[in-house]
Amino acid sequence: MGCVQSKDNDDGQRIVVSSPTRSSGTRNHNTLQQTEIKGIGRTERMIRREQKKGKVASRPSDHSGMSRATTTATTTSESNSKGPSIKDQLKISIRDRNNGSLKGPELDPITGNLVPSEVTRRRKRAIKANSTTILNGAVTIEYAYCTQRGYYPDDPHKPNQDAYSIIHNFCSIPEDSFFAVYDGHGPVGEYFAKYAKENLPKLISKHFKQEQVQAHRARNSTLAQSEKIPFNPKLFPKLECAQYEKACKRAHIECNQNMIDTQPLVNLSGTTVIGAGFHNGYVLVSNLGDSRAILGYRNEVNGDIVNNNNNEQKKASSSSSSSSSSSSHPSGKIVAVPLSQDQTPWRKDERQRIIKAGGRVLTIDQMEGKTSIVENEEYEQDLKLGESGFIDEKGDPPRVWLADKNIPGTSFTRSLGDSIADKVGVFAEPEFFCKPITDQDEILVLASDGVFEFLQNQDIIDICAQHSHDPTEACEQVVDAAYKKWLDYENRTDDITVVILFFRRHRHVDTITHDQEEEEEQEDDPIDDTKSIGTDRELGNSQSWSLKNALLSIML
């Protein structure tokens, strides 16, 4: 998520500098040494705003479409893996770009945008929908994915820094699954997204099994000797939400520490992650950064929304009708319900936490003295991105900076990696959310912020609902809509990744006890190729699911 720019230094010499994106650190293709940056890049939205005010005569010559320049990353350690290290791979990539050995993408001569064939080449999608079952076969989940590499005019060969996970038989439980989207950023963000993809699910599984062992021992401690249950993973109890949360939080924190200890360029590189696990009849969402999970919930006509804690279910006046099949749906609108909340300085609680940790929260205009350091009314608000209808048309979001240096400039407040940002509160503890799966749950969307930058939650659920017959088509349509929106606002596009799940019911799930799933040991089977949300740092404090509050918050 970075871009190279050329600027003149104070001595009139031409230098190459890197600039962060909305949510990244920096990217520099000339050097691996830390460098003080003097150049400035501005987003298209910022340029147009200043042109209207008469502050700039024309667009900068570099057409970067990016935001403020900061510094490049220094190498902290070498990779222990076989083959070229990340540092060497980056050098090879730099060399290929600098000597012109890589052919640039084909652009439309009129618009300057990628031609359709180039867009297709940058896109990777599921050939067909796949499926898995939950709740003893009562529900089939049909899903697909689609990811499209972004386009940066000054870095046309920049790789896709997004990744995704789709894993069945998760934690050795046949009907458990894990889905996730990773959004890398910084000089080598793609490697950090890949690292998280390869390691985070394994760490969650490890800590999950440790929690199972503890639960097994706790259960046996209450039983008479003759009633004790043998130590057999097939007989271990299912986890409660708080136990699953503890496993997830410890896994994220351990993954982050492993990154910092072993990965080069970790000071200004990292990744965000949004994950959704299915276990014991629940969907369990862990969020780190500004990717997002949203639920498409069937709001039945004349239905009463009740609290779903304690497995209570929604009852409508028309509930006497039989459960819908995979080809039919109950009446009523599908409403977008956020299952995560972006962790950015737009959120007042996150903003205050960063400042308390010793960081600064400033926009680029504030950094450059164009506006007052005192936050204006817009930045004082506690914005719920994706729900409030707010779009950052200025292209100048509040960012996180060290107290005494103009780095790292991240527009998120939690992530994996980013060891410099970690010093001022950009840590790796996810926010967690769980809810029981009900008859009214229709759609689940996990996506990187490239999808949500200009689209609202309800926009995406509406697109999915229109193509509910085919998850692959729904994914393509969401990516198309996000890509077009990017072109409306910028001369660049971010990486865009989405995983969409549709719930197909074969019988009512309201009557199924959430601990009735079969317990059968089986190895984890990864199949991919390649917030209401707690802010308490104490482990185990998960937020309860209140559908009434969630729906009312977006309908009022």
Side-chain angles (χ1 to χ4, degrees):
M1 286 187 171
C3 188
V4 173
Q5 304 174 53
S6 295
K7 295 290 179 183
D8 292 329
N9 65 12
D10 291 344
D11 297 326
Q13 296 175 323
R14 203 65 170 169
I15 59 171
V16 177
V17 299
S18 67
S19 58
T21 64
R22 299 168 292 98
S23 58
S24 76
T26 61
R27 187 179 188 88
N28 188 303
H29 302 300
N30 262 13
T31 177
L32 295 178
Q33 301 302 317
Q34 191 162 355
T35 306
E36 187 65 28
I37 300 305
K38 300 177 182 178
I40 295 176
R42 314 195 69 74
T43 65
E44 290 290 292
R45 286 167 280 173
M46 294 174 69
I47 292 167
R48 286 196 294 267
R49 175 163 56 91
E50 293 182 353
Q51 284 176 335
K52 290 180 180 180
K53 294 180 178 180
K55 292 184 178 181
V56 292
S58 62
R59 187 176 300 151
S61 59
D62 60 14
H63 294 280
S64 68
M66 307 301 290
S67 55
R68 178 165 177 82
T70 58
T71 63
T72 61
T74 53
T75 302
T76 57
S77 64
E78 295 293 338
S79 173
N80 295 325
S81 61
K82 295 181 179 180
S85 66
I86 291 180
K87 175 181 176 181
D88 291 336
Q89 293 179 59
L90 181 60
K91 286 182 176 179
I92 292 172
S93 177
I94 295 168
R95 179 199 64 196
D96 290 342
R97 280 193 282 268
N98 287 346
N99 65 20
S101 62
L102 298 178
K103 182 181 179 181
E106 184 178 357
L107 304 178
D108 185 294
I110 298 176
T111 65
N113 297 328
L114 299 173
V115 298
S117 61
E118 180 65 28
V119 174
T120 300
R121 190 178 70 82
R122 289 169 175 257
R123 184 174 295 186
K124 176 184 176 183
R125 66 179 181 86
I127 302 301
K128 63 177 181 178
N130 288 295
S131 64
T132 185
T133 60
I134 56 176
L135 291 169
N136 288 333
V139 177
T140 295
I141 298 177
E142 289 187 3
Y143 63 87
Y145 65 86
C146 186
T147 181
Q148 180 174 311
R149 180 160 64 100
Y151 172 61
Y152 298 81
D154 285 321
D155 192 5
H157 303 295
K158 178 176 179 291
N160 189 342
Q161 293 190 316
D162 287 357
Y164 59 90
S165 289
I166 300 173
I167 304 175
H168 298 321
N169 307 311
F170 190 55
C171 301
S172 303
I173 300 177
E175 284 203 336
D176 278 20
S177 295
F178 180 76
F179 299 81
V181 170
Y182 313 89
D183 186 353
H185 51 263
V188 286
E190 62 272 21
Y191 295 106
F192 284 83
K194 182 180 179 182
Y195 182 96
K197 170 182 175 172
E198 293 175 348
N199 292 278
L200 182 60
K202 295 176 184 177
L203 291 171
I204 294 176
S205 181
K206 181 187 80 170
H207 288 283
F208 177 97
K209 292 172 182 177
Q210 290 176 354
E211 287 295 322
Q212 278 193 309
V213 170
Q214 293 181 18
H216 167 75
R217 290 172 176 169
R219 180 175 61 183
N220 268 0
S221 68
T222 64
L223 301 176
Q225 186 63 36
S226 60
E227 299 175 338
K228 291 187 182 298
I229 300 172
F231 189 90
N232 185 338
K234 295 180 180 180
L235 304 178
F236 284 168
K238 298 294 178 68
L239 296 188
E240 301 295 333
C241 286
Q243 296 168 314
Y244 198 105
E245 176 189 13
K246 186 183 295 186
C248 279
K249 287 189 173 182
R250 287 177 172 166
H252 282 74
I253 293 171
E254 182 176 347
C255 185
N256 180 68
Q257 192 59 51
N258 291 344
M259 279 185 176
I260 293 174
D261 291 342
T262 66
Q263 299 303 299
L265 303 180
V266 71
N267 50 0
L268 289 170
S269 293
T271 185
T272 64
V273 55
I274 184 74
F278 291 89
H279 174 69
N280 197 26
Y282 287 82
V283 57
L284 306 108
V285 176
S286 54
N287 179 43
L288 200 66
D290 55 1
S291 293
R292 199 175 296 171
I294 52 175
L295 176 72
Y297 185 91
R298 178 71 66 172
N299 185 21
E300 293 181 357
V301 175
N302 298 325
D304 295 325
I305 301 172
V306 300
N307 192 308
N308 274 322
N309 301 334
N310 305 322
N311 295 336
E312 291 183 8
Q313 305 299 329
K314 193 165 73 100
K315 297 180 180 179
S317 59
S318 58
S319 61
S320 59
S321 60
S322 61
S323 175
S324 61
S325 67
S326 61
S327 60
S328 62
H329 299 283
S331 60
K333 178 179 174 60
I334 299 181
V335 179
V337 179
L339 299 187
S340 67
Q341 188 176 352
D342 294 3
Q343 296 150 356
T344 75
W346 289 113
R347 272 175 56 180
K348 190 172 184 179
D349 60 336
E350 289 292 282
R351 190 162 61 242
Q352 292 174 340
R353 184 176 61 77
I354 293 297
I355 294 173
K356 186 177 180 180
R360 292 178 295 159
V361 176
L362 300 169
T363 67
I364 293 173
D365 278 352
Q366 289 172 339
M367 288 284 295
E368 296 173 348
K370 295 178 182 287
T371 59
S372 172
I373 294 297
V374 178
E375 292 182 303
N376 59 35
E377 182 179 353
E378 183 177 76
Y379 296 122
E380 285 285 2
Q381 297 177 17
D382 186 16
L383 292 174
K384 295 182 179 180
L385 301 180
E387 305 170 56
S388 61
F390 172 79
I391 293 177
D392 181 19
E393 295 186 357
K394 295 180 179 179
D396 187 18
R399 295 177 179 274
V400 177
W401 311 91
L402 297 184
D404 56 349
K405 293 183 180 179
N406 293 339
I407 55 174
T410 63
S411 61
F412 50 78
T413 54
R414 304 191 190 201
S415 69
L416 295 174
D418 298 296
S419 60
I420 288 180
D422 183 75
K423 298 176 181 178
V424 289
V426 182
F427 57 65
E429 183 179 304
E431 292 179 318
F432 189 82
F433 191 64
C434 85
K435 71 169 292 294
I437 298 169
T438 72
D439 279 336
Q440 286 68 47
D441 300 331
E442 300 267 342
I443 304 164
L444 179 63
V445 177
L446 304 177
S448 63
D449 65 341
V451 171
F452 296 106
E453 180 73 9
F454 304 109
L455 292 174
Q456 298 293 297
N457 293 348
Q458 191 62 51
D459 297 333
I460 296 166
I461 291 299
D462 289 344
I463 294 172
C464 293
Q466 293 169 8
H467 302 278
S468 60
H469 61 285
D470 184 359
T472 59
E473 180 66 18
C475 286
E476 290 249 60
Q477 292 297 321
V478 168
V479 172
D480 282 343
Y483 177 69
K484 292 175 182 177
K485 281 290 187 180
W486 270 100
L487 296 182
D488 287 342
Y489 287 90
E490 298 278 3
N491 71 333
R492 67 172 180 115
T493 63
D494 196 3
D495 301 325
I496 300 170
T497 301
V498 64
V499 177
I500 298 176
L501 298 78
F502 290 100
F503 299 90
R504 318 292 196 192
R505 284 162 194 77
H506 308 294
R507 61 183 185 272
H508 276 301
V509 301
D510 291 3
T511 59
I512 298 175
T513 303
H514 290 292
D515 60 3
Q516 287 181 344
E517 298 179 73
E518 300 176 36
E519 293 182 307
E520 178 179 338
E521 184 176 14
Q522 186 170 343
E523 294 299 319
D524 292 356
D525 180 24
I527 69 165
D528 57 336
D529 51 1
T530 325
K531 269 181 91 264
S532 52
I533 318 302
T535 56
D536 195 327
R537 298 204 68 180
E538 294 297 326
L539 296 180
N541 293 336
S542 62
Q543 292 281 328
S544 298
W545 164 251
S546 175
L547 179 61
K548 180 177 181 181
N549 292 338
L551 286 177
L552 289 178
S553 70
I554 61 177
M555 288 191 288
L556 291 178

